[in-house]
Amino acid sequence: MSLQQLPTKRLYHNGCLSLKFANRGNKTIMTDCYQLPPLRASRTLYLNPANPSEATVYMVETSGGLVAGDENKFQIDVQDGADVCLIPQSATKIYPSYNGMLSSQNIDVSIGSKASLAWKPEAVIPFESAKFRGKTIVRMAQDSTLLWGEILSPGRDKRGEKFQYSDVRTNFQVWMEEECLIYDSLLFSPGHMNLGQLGLLEDHLYVGSLWFVAPTLQQLDIRELNERLQRFSDIKASAALLEGKAVNVRWLASDMVLLKQEMSSTWDEFARCMA
């Protein structure tokens, strides 16, 4: 058999990052770390002066992005009394699905009693013809705290690639004990519609989301928060209180830099409540 006749097979990346954290002597440490390339984690850092016991870890995707057929899995276990901040090192790039296969990312999180997890927002950037499925399930105790951020980009905006991806679906769930507190499902299929059907997204290209779940939300003035969110005319933003246990803030923005600034400001406000 000649070299030209040999069958070829694409080796898809099925990355896995499994991290476990525990409280030891009023300090959060990483007790277990399983890394399957292309996913990796930094060593534990202590960067929060307001909460010196909080463990900060950077998460790295070394392959540069998800190619059609790739699947990344994250498993995060924050045990009782531990405080953790996880930071994606860069945006998640979703490459074209020329073979028709999906790229996917699945995140499973467990947060124990009196524990906290902060997941800083970074963008998902679907390229032209990309297909992506993202699913996140968080299981937390009644007295634990969660701060979670996400950004969905319209594509490679600076290259004029706006809403040219095929299909992006995300699902975000938060379970508090046996109660489904949050079920947020987004579906964008610009590959199956005209750009004129995108409504608000025609002018506001980026979608940003923050979720804050904490036992102390009764102290939050949701009306005042909504008033502060209306500072810029080219950003649409709104905050909603869920069952007195969670706050969701959603942004529609035309500028990524401005969106990140606004999300960072609100993030810092929520983070101060966690300290």
Side-chain angles (χ1 to χ4, degrees):
M1 181 181 293
S2 68
L3 291 176
Q4 288 79 8
Q5 296 173 309
L6 287 173
T8 59
K9 182 179 180 181
R10 162 70 161 83
L11 296 177
Y12 301 107
H13 291 148
N14 293 311
C16 181
L17 184 61
S18 179
L19 306 176
K20 184 179 289 187
F21 300 89
N23 184 298
R24 296 286 188 269
N26 294 321
K27 185 175 184 179
T28 299
I29 64 171
M30 187 191 299
T31 59
D32 189 58
C33 176
Y34 173 77
Q35 305 175 113
L36 181 65
L39 298 181
R40 296 184 61 84
S42 74
R43 64 184 179 88
T44 304
L45 305 170
Y46 298 91
L47 306 175
N48 187 354
N51 185 5
S53 69
E54 180 185 75
T56 297
V57 174
Y58 286 86
M59 302 175 296
V60 184
E61 216 280 4
T62 60
S63 70
L66 290 167
V67 176
D70 288 353
E71 179 182 17
N72 281 342
K73 292 182 179 180
F74 296 83
Q75 298 171 332
I76 312 298
D77 184 6
V78 183
Q79 299 184 342
D80 294 356
D83 298 316
V84 178
C85 179
L86 298 178
I87 304 177
Q89 190 183 50
S90 62
T92 300
K93 299 180 180 67
I94 314 299
Y95 287 98
S97 178
Y98 293 134
N99 58 6
M101 298 184 70
L102 298 168
S103 304
S104 62
Q105 178 170 280
N106 294 294
I107 305 173
D108 286 298
V109 175
S110 174
I111 310 174
S113 177
K114 292 182 170 55
S116 69
L117 172 65
W119 183 294
K120 283 208 166 183
E122 192 47 84
V124 172
I125 305 176
F127 288 20
E128 181 181 0
S129 302
K131 294 182 179 181
F132 175 71
R133 298 291 182 271
K135 187 172 185 178
T136 299
I137 299 179
V138 180
R139 297 174 178 86
M140 58 190 297
Q142 294 276 356
D143 57 355
S144 58
T145 302
L146 171 71
L147 178 54
W148 192 281
E150 297 177 340
I151 300 172
L152 177 61
S153 164
R156 292 180 291 183
D157 184 21
K158 301 304 181 185
R159 299 183 62 169
E161 203 174 280
K162 302 174 184 177
F163 299 112
Q164 294 182 23
Y165 57 85
S166 178
D167 188 87
V168 170
R169 305 180 188 214
T170 64
N171 183 267
F172 180 76
Q173 301 178 33
V174 175
W175 291 79
M176 185 173 282
E177 307 296 350
E178 299 300 319
E179 175 190 9
C180 183
L181 181 62
I182 297 168
Y183 190 94
D184 186 43
S185 187
L186 298 178
L187 165 61
F188 296 97
S189 298
H192 304 290
M193 63 176 68
N194 297 320
L195 289 181
Q197 296 176 284
L198 290 172
L200 273 175
L201 289 178
E202 293 179 59
D203 299 316
H204 300 87
L205 307 177
Y206 299 89
V207 181
S209 302
L210 277 187
W211 294 97
F212 184 42
V213 185
T216 57
L217 282 181
Q218 293 80 1
Q219 305 170 12
L220 183 68
D221 189 332
I222 197 70
R223 179 175 296 180
E224 181 184 355
L225 174 59
N226 267 305
E227 289 175 354
R228 292 200 304 273
L229 290 171
Q230 311 308 317
R231 294 189 297 170
F232 299 99
S233 60
D234 54 350
I235 289 185
K236 304 295 184 182
S238 179
L241 185 64
L242 305 177
E243 303 290 336
K245 301 175 182 177
V247 173
N248 173 229
V249 185
R250 189 94 77 193
W251 289 265
L252 297 178
S254 56
D255 183 87
M256 171 73 92
V257 174
L258 185 57
L259 172 62
K260 284 192 170 184
Q261 289 175 352
E262 285 296 282
M263 292 186 71
S264 179
S265 176
T266 306
W267 170 281
D268 291 343
E269 180 180 346
F270 289 157
R272 285 191 290 270
C273 300
M274 300 172 66

PDB file of all heavy atoms in Angstrom, residues 171-186:
ATOM      1  N   ASN A 171     -25.779  26.134  27.984  1.00  0.00           N
ATOM      2  CA  ASN A 171     -26.737  25.831  29.040  1.00  0.00           C
ATOM      3  C   ASN A 171     -26.033  25.975  30.381  1.00  0.00           C
ATOM      4  O   ASN A 171     -24.999  25.353  30.615  1.00  0.00           O
ATOM      5  CB  ASN A 171     -27.292  24.416  28.870  1.00  0.00           C
ATOM      6  CG  ASN A 171     -28.343  24.080  29.908  1.00  0.00           C
ATOM      7  OD1 ASN A 171     -28.036  23.519  30.948  1.00  0.00           O
ATOM      8  ND2 ASN A 171     -29.589  24.412  29.625  1.00  0.00           N
ATOM      9  N   PHE A 172     -26.604  26.828  31.256  1.00  0.00           N
ATOM     10  CA  PHE A 172     -26.012  27.094  32.563  1.00  0.00           C
ATOM     11  C   PHE A 172     -27.037  26.758  33.637  1.00  0.00           C
ATOM     12  O   PHE A 172     -28.142  27.307  33.647  1.00  0.00           O
ATOM     13  CB  PHE A 172     -25.589  28.560  32.658  1.00  0.00           C
ATOM     14  CG  PHE A 172     -24.954  28.939  33.966  1.00  0.00           C
ATOM     15  CD1 PHE A 172     -23.647  28.572  34.247  1.00  0.00           C
ATOM     16  CD2 PHE A 172     -25.656  29.674  34.917  1.00  0.00           C
ATOM     17  CE1 PHE A 172     -23.054  28.921  35.448  1.00  0.00           C
ATOM     18  CE2 PHE A 172     -25.070  30.025  36.118  1.00  0.00           C
ATOM     19  CZ  PHE A 172     -23.767  29.655  36.391  1.00  0.00           C
ATOM     20  N   GLN A 173     -26.680  25.842  34.535  1.00  0.00           N
ATOM     21  CA  GLN A 173     -27.585  25.411  35.601  1.00  0.00           C
ATOM     22  C   GLN A 173     -26.915  25.562  36.958  1.00  0.00           C
ATOM     23  O   GLN A 173     -25.726  25.271  37.105  1.00  0.00           O
ATOM     24  CB  GLN A 173     -27.977  23.940  35.428  1.00  0.00           C
ATOM     25  CG  GLN A 173     -28.662  23.604  34.129  1.00  0.00           C
ATOM     26  CD  GLN A 173     -28.963  22.118  34.010  1.00  0.00           C
ATOM     27  OE1 GLN A 173     -29.237  21.430  34.993  1.00  0.00           O
ATOM     28  NE2 GLN A 173     -28.892  21.610  32.785  1.00  0.00           N
ATOM     29  N   VAL A 174     -27.707  26.003  37.944  1.00  0.00           N
ATOM     30  CA  VAL A 174     -27.248  26.030  39.331  1.00  0.00           C
ATOM     31  C   VAL A 174     -28.289  25.308  40.183  1.00  0.00           C
ATOM     32  O   VAL A 174     -29.469  25.682  40.185  1.00  0.00           O
ATOM     33  CB  VAL A 174     -27.050  27.467  39.844  1.00  0.00           C
ATOM     34  CG1 VAL A 174     -26.702  27.452  41.333  1.00  0.00           C
ATOM     35  CG2 VAL A 174     -25.951  28.173  39.058  1.00  0.00           C
ATOM     36  N   TRP A 175     -27.812  24.285  40.899  1.00  0.00           N
ATOM     37  CA  TRP A 175     -28.666  23.517  41.792  1.00  0.00           C
ATOM     38  C   TRP A 175     -28.236  23.798  43.228  1.00  0.00           C
ATOM     39  O   TRP A 175     -27.080  23.593  43.591  1.00  0.00           O
ATOM     40  CB  TRP A 175     -28.554  22.029  41.498  1.00  0.00           C
ATOM     41  CG  TRP A 175     -29.152  21.648  40.171  1.00  0.00           C
ATOM     42  CD1 TRP A 175     -28.587  21.803  38.937  1.00  0.00           C
ATOM     43  CD2 TRP A 175     -30.441  21.072  39.956  1.00  0.00           C
ATOM     44  NE1 TRP A 175     -29.432  21.365  37.957  1.00  0.00           N
ATOM     45  CE2 TRP A 175     -30.589  20.897  38.555  1.00  0.00           C
ATOM     46  CE3 TRP A 175     -31.474  20.669  40.803  1.00  0.00           C
ATOM     47  CZ2 TRP A 175     -31.730  20.342  38.000  1.00  0.00           C
ATOM     48  CZ3 TRP A 175     -32.623  20.118  40.240  1.00  0.00           C
ATOM     49  CH2 TRP A 175     -32.746  19.961  38.860  1.00  0.00           C
ATOM     50  N   MET A 176     -29.173  24.283  44.037  1.00  0.00           N
ATOM     51  CA  MET A 176     -28.921  24.504  45.452  1.00  0.00           C
ATOM     52  C   MET A 176     -29.621  23.385  46.215  1.00  0.00           C
ATOM     53  O   MET A 176     -30.859  23.383  46.326  1.00  0.00           O
ATOM     54  CB  MET A 176     -29.422  25.879  45.888  1.00  0.00           C
ATOM     55  CG  MET A 176     -29.092  26.244  47.319  1.00  0.00           C
ATOM     56  SD  MET A 176     -29.522  27.960  47.723  1.00  0.00           S
ATOM     57  CE  MET A 176     -28.132  28.809  46.940  1.00  0.00           C
ATOM     58  N   GLU A 177     -28.815  22.445  46.711  1.00  0.00           N
ATOM     59  CA  GLU A 177     -29.359  21.202  47.256  1.00  0.00           C
ATOM     60  C   GLU A 177     -30.190  20.533  46.151  1.00  0.00           C
ATOM     61  O   GLU A 177     -29.665  20.240  45.089  1.00  0.00           O
ATOM     62  CB  GLU A 177     -30.164  21.475  48.524  1.00  0.00           C
ATOM     63  CG  GLU A 177     -29.413  22.269  49.599  1.00  0.00           C
ATOM     64  CD  GLU A 177     -28.189  21.546  50.173  1.00  0.00           C
ATOM     65  OE1 GLU A 177     -27.991  20.347  49.897  1.00  0.00           O
ATOM     66  OE2 GLU A 177     -27.424  22.189  50.921  1.00  0.00           O
ATOM     67  N   GLU A 178     -31.490  20.347  46.365  1.00  0.00           N
ATOM     68  CA  GLU A 178     -32.338  19.691  45.366  1.00  0.00           C
ATOM     69  C   GLU A 178     -33.109  20.690  44.502  1.00  0.00           C
ATOM     70  O   GLU A 178     -33.873  20.289  43.622  1.00  0.00           O
ATOM     71  CB  GLU A 178     -33.345  18.754  46.066  1.00  0.00           C
ATOM     72  CG  GLU A 178     -32.700  17.643  46.871  1.00  0.00           C
ATOM     73  CD  GLU A 178     -31.837  16.743  46.001  1.00  0.00           C
ATOM     74  OE1 GLU A 178     -32.264  16.419  44.872  1.00  0.00           O
ATOM     75  OE2 GLU A 178     -30.752  16.358  46.459  1.00  0.00           O
ATOM     76  N   GLU A 179     -32.918  21.984  44.742  1.00  0.00           N
ATOM     77  CA  GLU A 179     -33.659  23.015  44.008  1.00  0.00           C
ATOM     78  C   GLU A 179     -32.866  23.500  42.804  1.00  0.00           C
ATOM     79  O   GLU A 179     -31.695  23.867  42.918  1.00  0.00           O
ATOM     80  CB  GLU A 179     -33.948  24.210  44.928  1.00  0.00           C
ATOM     81  CG  GLU A 179     -34.615  25.376  44.227  1.00  0.00           C
ATOM     82  CD  GLU A 179     -34.672  26.627  45.088  1.00  0.00           C
ATOM     83  OE1 GLU A 179     -34.042  26.646  46.170  1.00  0.00           O
ATOM     84  OE2 GLU A 179     -35.345  27.588  44.669  1.00  0.00           O
ATOM     85  N   CYS A 180     -33.513  23.535  41.634  1.00  0.00           N
ATOM     86  CA  CYS A 180     -32.899  24.122  40.444  1.00  0.00           C
ATOM     87  C   CYS A 180     -33.129  25.625  40.508  1.00  0.00           C
ATOM     88  O   CYS A 180     -34.202  26.130  40.142  1.00  0.00           O
ATOM     89  CB  CYS A 180     -33.488  23.540  39.158  1.00  0.00           C
ATOM     90  SG  CYS A 180     -32.701  24.173  37.661  1.00  0.00           S
ATOM     91  N   LEU A 181     -32.123  26.343  40.971  1.00  0.00           N
ATOM     92  CA  LEU A 181     -32.245  27.785  41.176  1.00  0.00           C
ATOM     93  C   LEU A 181     -32.118  28.556  39.866  1.00  0.00           C
ATOM     94  O   LEU A 181     -32.811  29.549  39.643  1.00  0.00           O
ATOM     95  CB  LEU A 181     -31.183  28.248  42.178  1.00  0.00           C
ATOM     96  CG  LEU A 181     -31.164  29.731  42.545  1.00  0.00           C
ATOM     97  CD1 LEU A 181     -32.481  30.135  43.205  1.00  0.00           C
ATOM     98  CD2 LEU A 181     -29.982  30.037  43.460  1.00  0.00           C
ATOM     99  N   ILE A 182     -31.223  28.091  38.984  1.00  0.00           N
ATOM    100  CA  ILE A 182     -30.966  28.788  37.715  1.00  0.00           C
ATOM    101  C   ILE A 182     -30.959  27.770  36.583  1.00  0.00           C
ATOM    102  O   ILE A 182     -30.305  26.723  36.681  1.00  0.00           O
ATOM    103  CB  ILE A 182     -29.613  29.525  37.750  1.00  0.00           C
ATOM    104  CG1 ILE A 182     -29.606  30.607  38.827  1.00  0.00           C
ATOM    105  CG2 ILE A 182     -29.289  30.134  36.397  1.00  0.00           C
ATOM    106  CD1 ILE A 182     -28.223  31.167  39.115  1.00  0.00           C
ATOM    107  N   TYR A 183     -31.673  28.076  35.511  1.00  0.00           N
ATOM    108  CA  TYR A 183     -31.605  27.292  34.278  1.00  0.00           C
ATOM    109  C   TYR A 183     -31.611  28.295  33.129  1.00  0.00           C
ATOM    110  O   TYR A 183     -32.645  28.855  32.786  1.00  0.00           O
ATOM    111  CB  TYR A 183     -32.789  26.331  34.169  1.00  0.00           C
ATOM    112  CG  TYR A 183     -32.646  25.338  33.035  1.00  0.00           C
ATOM    113  CD1 TYR A 183     -32.099  24.068  33.266  1.00  0.00           C
ATOM    114  CD2 TYR A 183     -33.044  25.654  31.734  1.00  0.00           C
ATOM    115  CE1 TYR A 183     -31.976  23.152  32.231  1.00  0.00           C
ATOM    116  CE2 TYR A 183     -32.900  24.758  30.706  1.00  0.00           C
ATOM    117  CZ  TYR A 183     -32.364  23.500  30.959  1.00  0.00           C
ATOM    118  OH  TYR A 183     -32.221  22.593  29.931  1.00  0.00           O
ATOM    119  N   ASP A 184     -30.446  28.550  32.578  1.00  0.00           N
ATOM    120  CA  ASP A 184     -30.275  29.594  31.567  1.00  0.00           C
ATOM    121  C   ASP A 184     -29.744  28.953  30.290  1.00  0.00           C
ATOM    122  O   ASP A 184     -28.606  28.496  30.244  1.00  0.00           O
ATOM    123  CB  ASP A 184     -29.299  30.664  32.074  1.00  0.00           C
ATOM    124  CG  ASP A 184     -29.197  31.843  31.120  1.00  0.00           C
ATOM    125  OD1 ASP A 184     -30.237  32.286  30.611  1.00  0.00           O
ATOM    126  OD2 ASP A 184     -28.068  32.312  30.885  1.00  0.00           O
ATOM    127  N   SER A 185     -30.578  28.927  29.261  1.00  0.00           N
ATOM    128  CA  SER A 185     -30.208  28.283  28.000  1.00  0.00           C
ATOM    129  C   SER A 185     -30.220  29.321  26.882  1.00  0.00           C
ATOM    130  O   SER A 185     -31.209  30.037  26.696  1.00  0.00           O
ATOM    131  CB  SER A 185     -31.192  27.153  27.685  1.00  0.00           C
ATOM    132  OG  SER A 185     -30.761  26.410  26.566  1.00  0.00           O
ATOM    133  N   LEU A 186     -29.107  29.420  26.154  1.00  0.00           N
ATOM    134  CA  LEU A 186     -28.994  30.364  25.046  1.00  0.00           C
ATOM    135  C   LEU A 186     -28.757  29.594  23.745  1.00  0.00           C
ATOM    136  O   LEU A 186     -27.990  28.632  23.715  1.00  0.00           O
ATOM    137  CB  LEU A 186     -27.836  31.334  25.273  1.00  0.00           C
ATOM    138  CG  LEU A 186     -27.917  32.245  26.507  1.00  0.00           C
ATOM    139  CD1 LEU A 186     -26.654  33.104  26.589  1.00  0.00           C
ATOM    140  CD2 LEU A 186     -29.151  33.122  26.461  1.00  0.00           C
TER     141      LEU A 186
END
